[in-house]
Amino acid sequence: MKLLKPALLALSCALLLAGMNLQTRGVIDENQTFFEQKLLRQMVSELTNSPEIVDTETGYKVLDDQETVALIQRAVTEKGYNGDINLLVAYTTDREIISVRVTEHRETPGIGDDIDISISPWISQFQGKTADSEWSLAPAGEIDGITGATITSRAVTVAVSEVLTR
Amino acid sequence: MNSIARDGLWTNNPALVQLLGLCPLLAVSNTVATSLGLGITTLLVLTLSNLVISLIRGLLDEETRLPVQIMIIATFVTLADLLLQYAFFELHQRIGLFVALIVTNCTLLGRAEAFASRNPILASTYDGFMMGLGFLFVLVIMGAVREILGQGTLFSNLHLLTGLPDVTIHVADSGFLLMVLPPGAFLTLGCLIALKNVIDGAVR
């Protein structure tokens, strides 16, 4: 019977957490969708102001007036400096890049994290590129690498170009 | 009461003297915003867990006391985690990983075992609050120092916490990378401990 009191305490903790989970779950899910949608809308904001965004298997379809105007694809590369880099790539139906965003990465703070739009505008240079662009780092190609983070810049560049050709 | 406050804030400060909770202290002290977010969460969890553990201190015996204390701390951490996602979703995206780690912050179990399980409710709650405040103020100072030296900014992303307009102050165009990386955290903490010792020495 020694365990009766701890067990009762554990039960009350569990009930408390279950109750709180029920209370907050709805809003938390809404928050998640809201911030996802906000990012996606931002990505195609130059194309349309009132996009309707529909989930697809590999990303999202952007509809404007019932018509598909752009696609947003998820991409991931393991060729970064430290683990996977997760990307979202938005492009028009003519396969021209609208915007690219990094959603998750563990690149070196202060060097490789320039791929994050909140830190540096580096990633906006992909805008307007197509499958015919020179997808390698300058001076050979059209993409300016990040100083000190060649591996990171190359990984992102290749991952973005592969989205257009897949 | 006064000695409890002095203990938590200065003489027995969890971060500067007991050197407990180093993992979150070093990991999230990159900026003032993340420091403040995790510091306040820790303060609340520590105060509430001390309160409850003191409340049930008569019910438990030697063998089951520690697991029950950890369970109570974990419960409050999970509650805090849910509430953060509920109210400060974007901030949670940045510090979420470390919120779960508050459970392993030795300050919490340390205060539960050393103080709350053998003192009355009011004193225990006050002890939790003061220890949390001591941890919070060291965390925020570290955040400010590392943010200014490492990024050249102050209060960046604070609007995620306050909901008010962005108040980022740009001190310099760039900073010393070292201060953003883990070594910068150790260096800053070392300097703060040294500073505290100098002050203590001067007072004595």
Side-chain angles (χ1 to χ4, degrees):
Chain A
M1 284 327 275
K2 221 174 179 181
L3 285 174
L4 183 65
K5 282 174 198 160
L8 284 177
L9 283 170
L11 187 67
S12 23
C13 285
L15 286 176
L16 183 66
L17 287 179
M20 186 57 104
N21 188 37
L22 278 179
Q23 282 295 311
T24 55
R25 184 50 49 194
V27 176
I28 291 174
D29 286 344
E30 268 170 40
N31 282 346
Q32 194 141 19
T33 329
F34 176 79
F35 284 106
E36 260 170 34
Q37 289 278 327
K38 192 171 136 190
L39 174 72
L40 297 172
R41 275 161 195 277
Q42 250 170 27
M43 286 185 69
V44 294
S45 62
E46 286 185 14
L47 206 66
T48 157
N49 281 323
S50 51
E52 191 194 332
I53 294 166
V54 190
D55 286 4
T56 64
E57 220 168 276
T58 54
Y60 309 87
K61 211 157 55 174
V62 183
L63 304 174
D64 188 19
D65 249 355
Q66 314 286 336
E67 214 172 311
T68 307
V69 290
L71 291 166
I72 301 177
Q73 298 281 349
R74 280 187 288 267
V76 59
T77 172
E78 65 213 6
K79 299 211 172 75
Y81 199 68
N82 182 24
D84 287 355
I85 302 174
N86 288 290
L87 300 158
L88 283 174
V89 181
Y91 54 90
T92 62
T93 39
D94 303 330
R95 298 202 154 242
E96 183 185 313
I97 302 269
I98 305 165
S99 57
V100 183
R101 289 287 182 278
V102 173
T103 51
E104 227 183 304
H105 77 89
R106 274 177 295 163
E107 300 305 297
T108 322
I111 304 177
D113 64 353
D114 276 3
I115 55 175
D116 186 337
I117 190 88
S118 66
I119 292 172
S120 146
W122 179 80
I123 204 150
S124 27
Q125 68 175 306
F126 290 108
Q127 189 187 354
K129 299 271 186 279
T130 63
D132 296 331
S133 306
E134 273 309 318
W135 286 95
S136 52
L137 298 187
E142 291 177 25
I143 311 295
D144 291 322
I146 300 164
T147 310
T150 310
I151 293 178
T152 308
S153 339
R154 189 180 291 142
V156 173
T157 305
V158 170
V160 174
S161 74
E162 278 172 4
V163 170
L164 286 184
T165 51
R166 79 180 172 201
Chain B
M1 276 299 175
N2 259 335
S3 78
I4 291 177
R6 208 166 36 234
D7 246 17
L9 293 176
W10 193 258
T11 38
N12 207 12
N13 185 293
L16 293 179
V17 180
Q18 304 179 60
L19 293 179
L20 292 175
L22 285 188
C23 168
L25 184 74
L26 298 171
V28 301
S29 60
N30 289 327
T31 64
V32 173
T34 52
S35 298
L36 209 55
L38 196 86
I40 293 173
T41 316
T42 308
L43 170 74
L44 291 176
V45 171
L46 185 52
T47 309
L48 290 173
S49 68
N50 258 17
L51 170 77
V52 172
I53 285 164
S54 173
L55 192 70
I56 58 159
R57 69 187 187 282
L59 296 176
L60 302 171
D61 45 37
E62 284 289 311
E63 291 92 342
T64 53
R65 200 173 63 215
L66 280 176
V68 169
Q69 286 172 359
I70 276 288
M71 180 181 73
I72 288 168
I73 292 169
T75 305
F76 279 115
V77 169
T78 315
L79 284 179
D81 194 58
L82 286 173
L83 287 174
L84 269 178
Q85 291 186 61
Y86 183 87
F88 304 103
F89 190 80
E90 273 186 295
L91 182 76
H92 183 271
Q93 301 255 305
R94 279 162 207 270
I95 63 166
L97 182 63
F98 301 102
V99 171
L101 283 178
I102 294 178
V103 183
T104 63
N105 184 335
C106 313
T107 315
L108 280 90
L109 189 62
R111 293 328 287 175
E113 177 61 15
F115 201 96
S117 65
R118 51 200 82 196
N119 280 290
I121 296 169
L122 201 61
S124 298
T125 313
Y126 192 56
D127 176 77
F129 181 75
M130 280 303 163
M131 285 288 164
L133 210 58
F135 187 73
L136 171 70
F137 105 82
V138 175
L139 196 59
V140 170
I141 291 177
M142 284 186 62
V145 171
R146 290 181 67 197
E147 189 177 345
I148 292 174
L149 296 179
Q151 289 186 15
T153 62
L154 193 61
F155 306 132
S156 67
N157 287 324
L158 198 62
H159 61 284
L160 298 185
L161 192 67
T162 58
L164 301 169
D166 199 342
V167 289
T168 309
I169 301 169
H170 289 272
V171 186
D173 285 340
S174 63
F176 303 110
L177 175 60
L178 182 73
M179 295 308 286
V180 182
L181 299 176
F186 281 103
L187 289 171
T188 314
L189 182 64
C191 291
L192 285 181
I193 295 172
L195 185 68
K196 178 185 183 293
N197 289 343
V198 168
I199 296 174
D200 280 346
V203 170
R204 208 179 299 128

